[in-house]
Amino acid sequence: MAPAGPGSYSPLRPGFHAADVPRIVHSLIRDMKALEAALHRWSCAQATPEDVSDCYVQFGVEFNALVHAFEGYDIPASDLHTIPAQLRSVLEDCLGEEASSEVLDRYLPEIRRLLREVLQNLRAKQSCMAEHREPATHSRVESIV
């Protein structure tokens, strides 16, 4: 899996505009759902660890873009920096075992906790962002779990 620790949150897209935040939030939520779906397929031997890793990497791309957007609004995002590394660690532990529903059942609560933490932080940060822009363009974070 690609590194995702503190300090790796540089701009990924030249020309990124904060107006892209609702689209990035939507993409991040989609990627979170795709990651969980890939884990379920992996547990049934219908996906490889590399498939799950690809979903994690895509999650990281959108996550990094969103952190950059928040920081562009001077909204502190340091509380988010550890989540990708924590998620990566849990995924590596899970994928290091034999694929089965039992293994997934053991790791899924922690994976979901971390994803919920991302969503809760997004909600709070979007509230701060709403103060900087028109409420009509404010995108709400939906729940995936």
Side-chain angles (χ1 to χ4, degrees), residues 2-18:
S8 65
Y9 302 101
S10 60
L12 297 173
R13 301 171 194 183
F16 167 79
H17 299 286

Side-chain angles (χ1 to χ4, degrees), residues 42-45 47 94 97-101 103:
W42 168 83
S43 73
C44 300
C94 178
E97 296 193 31
E98 185 88 22
S100 72
S101 59
V103 169

